[in-house]
């Protein structure tokens, strides 16, 4: 009996002293030769900072090139190689609008059909398995990924800026492109709801778009309303419902807009607007402490070496 009590006490002490789960996240880069040099090994400032920082994995939340740069195979492949080699730990990527939906901009030379670029992104950057615990790709939409670490569920969702790809369909067949958005949304919702359950300790959801930005239109997008609608409204409603349904903390980690901040939304969701986008050339270290009921997520900027606080 004493032996059993000793084992229980030892196990409890071990769990209480366990280090919080930690990962790195950034996005919206490289946009220029400046941030590309910062990511490049062996002497890049961001590369060196990542090497010195404990983390379980590193995630890039989309936009691997500037919107002013054309979406050539060479640029996409070169930049993906750069961002995927910044860490010795597993690498996660979810696409951004600059990577495919905005490749038809009139200012770009050459211009591309966005659906063709999406096919390229999927074939080149969403093929291999990643060495993470209980890792899985969605069969129908392989850029969507999930894994489980320390009973924390991590999920990527393919949600992009430019109103989730509904704005500026310039070269693709508009009817076909919007039909593909509806399919992508359906796969995202299925993936999200399938991978959450009440027994989790926490969840982190990665996507490129800042779905909380003030919308141009207030109405939801539906089968009969495919334009002049808020492409993120249904995601906001679903995530708010999920935050109130489950009794564990949930973090939405995204890029797309310029603020670099962490805050808790009225629904209970936590929101991390990550670094990048010219303004904040940095990488965020996220620590998850499930025992801390007040602030389960904390964020530190590697280069600035400071704790990131609430969004204003």
């Amino acid at each position: 009996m004493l032996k059993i009590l000793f084992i229980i006490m030892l196990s409890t002490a071990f769990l209480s002293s366990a280090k919080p789960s930690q990962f790195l996240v950034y996005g919206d880069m490289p946009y220029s030769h400046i941030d590309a040099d910062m990511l490049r090994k062996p002497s890049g400032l961001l590369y060196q900072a990542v090497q010195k920082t404990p983390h379980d994995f590193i995630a890039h939340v989309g936009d691997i090139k500037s919107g002013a740069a054309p979406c050539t195979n060479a640029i996409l492949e070169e930049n993906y190689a750069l961002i995927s080699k910044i860490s010795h730990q597993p690498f996660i990527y979810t696409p951004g609008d600059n990577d495919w939906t905005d490749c038809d901009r009139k200012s770009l030379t050459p211009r591309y059909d966005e659906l063709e670029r999406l096919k390229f992104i999927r074939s080149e950057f969403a093929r291999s398995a990643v060495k993470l615990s209980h890792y899985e790709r969605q069969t129908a939409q392989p850029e969507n990924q999930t894994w489980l670490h320390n009973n924390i569920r991590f999920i990527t969702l393919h949600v992009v800026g430019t109103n989730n790809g509904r704005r500026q369909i310039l070269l693709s067949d508009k009817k076909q492109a919007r039909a593909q958005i509806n399919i992508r949304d359906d796969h995202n919702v299925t993936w999200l709801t399938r991978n959450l359950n009440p027994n989790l300790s926490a969840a982190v959801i990665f996507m490129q778009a800042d779905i909380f930005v003030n919308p141009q239109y207030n109405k939801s997008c539906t089968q009969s309303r495919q334009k002049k609608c808020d492409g993120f409204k249904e995601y906001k409603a679903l995530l708010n419902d999920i935050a109130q349904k489950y009794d564990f903390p949930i973090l939405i980690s995204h890029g797309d807009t310029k603020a670099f901040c962490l805050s808790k939304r009225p629904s209970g969701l936590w929101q991390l607007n990550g670094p990048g986008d010219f303004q904040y050339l940095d990488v965020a270290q996220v620590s998850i402490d499930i025992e801390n009921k007040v602030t389960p997520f904390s964020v530190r900027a590697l280069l600035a070496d400071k704790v990131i606080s609430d969004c204003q």
Side-chain angles (χ1 to χ4, degrees):
M1 184 67 179
L2 288 175
K3 184 177 180 181
I4 294 173
L5 287 173
F6 175 75
I7 292 173
I8 293 173
M9 291 172 64
L10 185 63
S11 299
T12 304
F14 174 77
L15 289 173
S16 63
S17 63
K19 292 182 179 180
S21 298
Q22 296 178 320
F23 65 89
L24 303 182
V25 62
Y26 69 119
D28 302 283
M29 68 171 77
Y31 277 11
S32 70
H33 69 88
I34 296 173
D35 41 335
D37 288 343
M38 294 174 72
L39 294 168
R40 191 167 286 117
K41 62 179 183 181
S43 57
L45 293 177
L46 283 174
Y47 174 81
Q48 291 182 342
V50 166
Q51 304 310 303
K52 299 173 184 176
T53 304
H55 58 284
D56 302 318
F57 64 89
I58 185 168
H60 190 290
V61 288
D63 279 6
I64 64 176
K65 51 167 267 319
S66 164
C71 304
T72 64
N73 290 6
I75 289 176
L76 291 172
E77 289 170 341
E78 179 181 354
N79 287 3
Y80 184 86
L82 185 62
I83 63 173
S84 62
K85 294 177 181 177
I86 190 175
S87 170
H88 60 283
Q89 294 288 60
F91 173 72
I92 294 293
Y93 160 73
T94 185
D97 55 353
N98 286 358
D99 308 336
W100 68 276
T101 65
D102 296 344
C103 294
D104 53 3
R105 287 177 174 174
K106 294 179 180 180
S107 58
L108 299 179
T109 304
R111 298 168 68 198
Y112 290 88
D113 181 306
E114 61 185 62
L115 295 181
E116 185 278 330
R117 287 292 83 183
L118 175 58
K119 184 177 180 181
F120 176 81
I121 290 288
R122 285 175 171 163
S123 66
E124 295 299 315
F125 309 142
R127 294 180 299 177
S128 60
V130 179
K131 293 181 179 179
L132 286 166
S133 177
H134 303 284
Y135 175 87
E136 184 182 356
R137 285 188 185 272
Q138 188 178 27
T139 302
Q141 198 158 280
E143 64 273 22
N144 281 353
Q145 303 155 81
T146 188
W147 61 102
L148 188 69
H149 180 69
N150 290 345
N151 201 39
I152 301 167
R153 174 61 67 183
F154 297 91
I155 302 169
T156 69
L157 296 180
H158 190 168
V159 185
V160 297
T162 322
N163 199 26
N164 201 17
R166 292 184 178 275
R167 193 168 64 244
Q168 295 180 344
I169 303 172
L170 302 177
L171 291 181
S172 299
D173 177 271
K174 290 181 173 58
K175 185 176 181 180
Q176 182 183 6
R178 291 184 179 121
Q180 288 300 312
I181 295 168
N182 295 334
I183 292 171
R184 178 162 51 84
D185 285 345
D186 288 343
H187 288 323
N188 283 337
V189 171
T190 298
W191 192 240
L192 178 63
T193 54
R194 196 205 87 171
N195 285 296
L196 295 177
N197 67 75
N199 298 319
L200 295 171
S201 298
V204 180
I205 301 164
F206 300 96
M207 64 179 72
Q208 188 258 337
D210 181 354
I211 64 173
F212 303 107
V213 69
N214 290 330
Q216 183 179 3
Y217 305 101
N218 291 321
K219 294 182 179 180
S220 300
C221 299
T222 64
Q223 291 292 338
S224 59
R225 188 189 302 114
Q226 294 288 320
K227 55 185 179 178
K228 294 185 177 181
C229 55
D230 181 0
F232 305 130
K233 189 164 187 173
E234 295 305 312
Y235 285 104
K236 287 178 280 193
L238 175 61
L239 287 165
N240 287 339
D241 287 345
I242 285 173
Q244 297 178 30
K245 176 181 179 181
Y246 292 116
D247 189 28
F248 55 78
I250 300 173
L251 173 68
I252 308 297
S253 178
H254 67 84
D256 195 27
T257 51
K258 293 182 178 180
F260 178 19
C261 54
L262 172 73
S263 63
K264 189 176 183 180
R265 302 190 62 81
S267 65
L269 282 173
W270 288 82
Q271 177 189 3
L272 169 60
N273 194 342
D277 205 8
F278 288 121
Q279 191 168 355
Y280 301 98
L281 301 182
D282 215 324
V283 172
Q285 181 191 42
V286 182
S287 298
I288 307 174
D289 184 357
I290 59 176
E291 299 300 322
N292 189 334
K293 303 304 180 183
V294 178
T295 54
F297 305 104
S298 58
V299 179
R300 183 178 69 90
L302 298 195
L303 288 186
D305 192 21
K306 67 177 183 179
V307 175
I308 300 304
S309 58
D310 288 355
C311 302
Q312 300 300 318

